[in-house]
DNA sequence: TTTATAACCTGAACGC
DNA sequence: TGCGTTCAGGTTATAA
């Protein structure tokens, strides 16, 4: 389920249960996810208090005084807070036991997710070192029109694949890439370098607002992280084009087109997006 | 350096 | 009912 809004919604749902909690154990049922889960996690974490839970791109970072537990949900992962002793089900690969009567459980049918350990500056980890700016950070050196305009120069790849490149900007997944390009009125097939400054301005703006709105929608279901039903706000959202092939565009009624770009589906309106 | 493709893995939906 | 095919929200590794 996770695009960036879902990961951020997960973080906000988990944070109250992890803050001021101390780890009392680690259970690894399936050691092989995207990469092997470190074998010595129990020794590393047992008795350690959680310092903070933050997010970088789609990585959740559970910080301890001596290192960071890196969590990634892949394509199908979810994290939930459950009462201690809750029986695991299929695909429940990893538990973090806490001293407050709860456990944090990772379920991931496709096993594209990750549980990793890193000591030292987290930004030097190979998976995080080359990430581009956060789209939602409000700082001047982050993701803004000037940055996007410069980054697109001499890049001939299609703009949709370009904005999904984590080295350019993090957190834009397949759904929100299509949605943001619709919002900006930009055809997903055009080469990145052909965007005008005004188009970059619009696109950067729409990426931010699209993700923000999705986080707000996801936030309404935070309680789902406490019980076992888990039903992120994601499914409740109305998409402009994603998943609507052949249906009428919500603006001009012309049928939404579905194509393949880099082996991923893209959806767009050929009239609204030039 | 940039771009394109294959790979990791399981399950749901669909057509025959 | 059963089998084969296709598709799915991510990301890295490898090849061209």
């Amino acid at each position: 389920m996770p695009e960036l809004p879902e990961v951020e919604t997960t973080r906000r749902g988990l944070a109250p249960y992890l803050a001021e909690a101390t780890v009392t154990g680690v259970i690894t049922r399936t050691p092989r996810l995207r990469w092997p889960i470190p074998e010595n996690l129990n020794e590393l974490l047992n008795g350690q208090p959680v310092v903070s839970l933050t997010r970088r791109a789609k990585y959740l970072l559970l910080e301890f005084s001596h290192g960071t537990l890196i969590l990634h949900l892949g394509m199908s992962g979810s994290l939930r807070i459950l009462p201690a002793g809750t029986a695991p089900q299929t695909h429940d690969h990893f538990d973090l036991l806490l001293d407050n009567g709860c456990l944090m459980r990772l379920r991931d049918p496709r096993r594209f997710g990750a549980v990793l350990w890193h000591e030292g500056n987290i930004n030097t980890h190979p998976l995080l070192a080359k990430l581009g700016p956060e789209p939602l950070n409000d700082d001047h050196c982050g993701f803004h029109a000037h940055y996007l305009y410069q980054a697109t120069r001499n890049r001939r790849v299609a703009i949709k694949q370009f904005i999904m490149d984590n080295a350019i900007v993090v957190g834009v997944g397949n759904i929100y890439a299509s949605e943001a390009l619709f919002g900006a009125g930009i055809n997903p097939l055009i080469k990145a370098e052909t965007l005008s400054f005004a188009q970059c301005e619009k696109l950067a703006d729409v990426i931010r607002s699209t993700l923000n709105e999705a986080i707000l929608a996801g936030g309404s279901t935070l309680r789902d992280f406490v019980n076992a039903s888990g039903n992120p706000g994601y499914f409740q959202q109305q998409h402009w084009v994603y998943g609507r092939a052949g249906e009428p565009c919500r603006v001009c009624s012309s049928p939404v087109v579905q194509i393949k770009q880099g082996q991923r589906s893209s959806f767009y309106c050929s009239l609204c997006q030039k």
Side-chain angles (χ1 to χ4, degrees), chain A residues 1 4-17 53 60 79-82 214-234 236:
Chain A
M1 56 198 75
L4 183 131
E6 288 70 39
V7 178
E8 176 60 21
T9 299
T10 296
R11 190 194 69 76
R12 294 180 186 185
L14 296 176
Y17 297 88
L53 176 63
L60 288 168
L79 285 166
R80 302 230 184 89
I81 297 291
L82 297 165
I215 289 172
L216 288 176
S220 65
T221 62
L222 279 184
R223 64 183 179 281
D224 290 325
F225 292 95
V226 188
N227 64 41
S229 70
N231 185 23
Y234 184 91
Q236 298 161 16

Side-chain angles (χ1 to χ4, degrees), chain A residues 33-241:
Chain A
L33 302 181
R34 182 81 158 79
W35 297 280
I37 297 177
E39 291 177 13
N40 59 341
L41 267 189
N42 194 52
E43 295 92 278
L44 281 167
L45 297 182
N46 200 342
Q48 295 291 332
V50 174
V51 173
S52 66
L53 176 63
T54 58
R55 178 186 60 73
R56 174 73 173 109
K58 292 172 188 164
Y59 296 96
L60 288 168
L61 306 173
L62 194 57
E63 191 194 342
F64 296 87
S65 63
H66 60 318
T68 305
L69 190 69
I70 303 173
L71 299 162
H72 196 288
L73 301 177
M75 289 270 251
S76 58
S78 61
L79 285 166
R80 302 230 184 89
I81 297 291
L82 297 165
T86 304
Q89 297 180 21
T90 314
H91 307 307
D92 285 345
H93 305 310
F94 176 84
D95 287 354
L96 196 68
L97 311 179
L98 304 168
D99 67 345
N100 56 10
C102 296
L103 60 83
M104 183 188 76
R105 176 163 289 168
L106 172 69
R107 175 176 299 178
D108 185 7
R110 289 177 73 180
R111 289 196 272 134
F112 288 167
V115 178
L116 299 167
W117 176 253
H118 180 75
E119 293 177 10
N121 183 350
I122 190 63
N123 292 313
T124 65
H125 190 280
L127 291 173
L128 280 75
K130 292 176 181 171
L131 292 175
E134 290 285 331
L136 301 180
N137 280 7
D138 208 10
D139 54 50
H140 290 291
C141 54
F143 181 68
H144 50 59
H146 291 277
Y147 167 82
L148 184 59
Y149 183 71
Q150 287 305 322
T152 49
R153 298 309 91 183
N154 300 316
R155 294 295 300 270
R156 270 161 262 184
V157 69
I159 186 62
K160 195 245 186 178
Q161 286 157 284
F162 184 81
I163 59 173
M164 289 179 69
D165 182 348
N166 276 338
I168 302 302
V169 59
V170 302
V172 182
N174 199 43
I175 292 179
Y176 296 115
S178 280
E179 292 295 291
L181 286 168
F182 178 85
I186 295 170
N187 186 303
L189 286 161
I190 68 169
K191 293 177 176 18
E193 64 179 0
T194 65
L195 263 67
S196 66
F197 182 80
Q199 284 179 305
C200 289
E201 206 167 22
K202 178 73 176 168
L203 182 55
D205 217 43
V206 169
I207 285 174
R208 268 193 299 272
S209 59
T210 302
L211 294 174
N212 269 322
E213 286 165 21
I215 289 172
L216 288 176
S220 65
T221 62
L222 279 184
R223 64 183 179 281
D224 290 325
F225 292 95
V226 188
N227 64 41
S229 70
N231 185 23
Y234 184 91
F235 291 104
Q236 298 161 16
Q237 279 188 258
Q238 263 215 340
H239 298 308
W240 290 98
V241 286

